[in-house]
Amino acid sequence: MEKVVLITGATSGIGLACARKFAKNGDKLILTGRNRQRLAEIQKELTDVGTEVLTLVFDVRDREAADRALSELPEGWREIDVLVNNAGLALGLEPEYEGRFEDWDTMIDTNLKGLLTMTRFVVPGMVKRNRGHVINIGSVAGDAAYAGGNVYCATKAAVKALTDGLRIDVAGTNVRVTNLKPGLVETNFSNTRFHGDTERAANVYKGIKPLTGDDIADVAVYAANAPEHVQIAEVLILATHQASGSVIVRQ
Ligand code: NDP
Ligand code: 8X3
């Protein structure tokens, strides 16, 4: 059955891969992001292959902008079936006692408060309709801290707690809640983390075949299309030569 799928941070990496995979699955897409031009390009790419796409330009840290964008959804787009809370980032890999306050605020405001804002605005409609699915993009980083991961790991541990908490709160309804926890995925993630140092970013994926956004999107589409009585609660997805956040065997 065709679903309305809203993906945050759909302009790059895992979010973009989810957009393409859900489009292939025949769903209608609400793609959100900060980069208006990129969103328009992706909208064109997907409408050209027959997908209905609506784009919303806002920063998930801006609660008012999110509220405005969602409350102005046109007829036919208001009943969101799947919310993919994907927008997020890591900034820096410094020891906790040397981290930058600004980076910490950005990670907490985006990965944690942004996800919570979207959940708060979208899930009441799901509960009312007794139908829906929230897919949060957590991380292996939320399972255990790794060197320099401190605040980023804390935000992803919080995503796990919020996902588990929401699952408890909607357990009496047909709304399903999933935490997808990828390991190393080659996207723009490390470029962002290292503030545009592309060489340092490339080193993260040296000597190991990392996951791709598509690998994660496959699991998201699977979870969203599982039979109604099946709730894929949590999935840890690692590259074959990665065993945990800090154990990576490079060839
Ligand atoms: P990318 O950098 O490729 O994509 C991140 C996306 O999030 C971009 O579209 C970006 O938009 C968007 N975004 C960031 N901040 C905001 C904001 N404030 N408001 C709206 N959109 C925002 O990285 P990934 O695809 O890898 O990351 C996606 C998610 O996956 C993140 O939550 C990340 O923590 C998680 N993850 C990534 C892993 C990896 O190894 N890559 C592993 C585990 C989890 P813009 O271009 O405007 O910045
Ligand atoms: C992203 C994966 O291991 O770089 O969440 O933190 S990791």
Side-chain angles (χ1 to χ4, degrees):
M1 198 188 81
E2 179 191 76
K3 294 182 280 299
V4 176
V5 180
L6 187 153
I7 303 167
T8 65
T11 52
S12 173
I14 296 170
L16 175 56
C18 284
R20 289 179 172 143
K21 291 273 179 185
F22 277 105
K24 249 196 189 135
N25 192 54
D27 295 315
K28 275 171 71 163
L29 304 182
I30 303 174
L31 304 181
T32 86
R34 296 183 290 188
N35 185 331
R36 184 181 297 278
Q37 193 186 328
R38 225 14 230 131
L39 278 176
E41 288 164 4
I42 296 161
Q43 182 176 36
K44 179 169 186 329
E45 174 196 320
L46 296 178
T47 48
D48 280 354
V49 293
T51 307
E52 285 185 74
V53 181
L54 189 87
T55 60
L56 299 177
V57 184
F58 65 89
D59 186 315
V60 293
R61 291 172 297 174
D62 186 340
R63 206 166 273 160
E64 275 175 27
D67 189 14
R68 207 175 317 117
L70 293 169
S71 59
E72 287 171 2
L73 281 173
E75 188 73 33
W77 293 90
R78 291 184 199 140
E79 300 198 349
I80 296 164
D81 297 297
V82 181
L83 166 65
V84 183
N85 269 320
N86 164 76
L89 76 174
L91 290 170
L93 202 60
E94 291 82 21
E96 195 166 311
Y97 57 88
E98 290 176 350
R100 297 188 208 176
F101 290 114
E102 200 186 321
D103 287 352
W104 294 353
D105 289 344
T106 304
M107 287 188 279
I108 292 166
D109 289 347
T110 310
N111 302 359
L112 183 43
K113 291 164 74 178
L115 175 143
L116 211 38
T117 294
M118 293 303 294
T119 302
R120 181 65 184 86
F121 287 138
V122 174
V123 175
M126 292 182 173
V127 169
K128 203 165 152 201
R129 292 186 293 278
N130 197 25
R131 183 182 90 229
H133 196 152
V134 178
I135 299 177
N136 289 333
I137 306 297
S139 172
V140 65
D143 283 357
Y146 55 78
N150 45 72
V151 175
Y152 177 68
C153 294
T155 65
K156 292 300 182 176
V159 169
K160 174 172 167 51
L162 293 174
T163 313
D164 290 346
L166 180 64
R167 195 180 307 108
I168 293 165
D169 295 337
V170 298
T173 75
N174 287 329
V175 177
R176 303 184 292 188
V177 187
T178 299
N179 185 16
L180 291 191
K181 305 187 300 182
L184 281 181
V185 188
E186 192 163 14
T187 62
N188 204 42
F189 178 84
S190 293
N191 279 323
T192 300
R193 168 169 252 171
F194 299 127
H195 299 280
D197 183 339
T198 49
E199 204 180 313
R200 195 170 173 206
N203 278 336
V204 173
Y205 311 106
K206 272 225 173 104
I208 183 166
K209 185 168 182 180
L211 299 166
T212 65
D214 279 350
D215 297 324
I216 310 310
D218 280 336
V219 184
V221 171
Y222 174 81
N225 291 282
E228 211 172 78
H229 67 288
V230 177
Q231 176 168 226
I232 308 293
E234 188 168 302
V235 187
L236 175 65
I237 311 151
L238 299 176
T240 302
H241 296 297
Q242 176 173 21
S244 70
S246 45
V247 178
I248 296 164
V249 180
R250 298 180 194 273
Q251 310 295 310

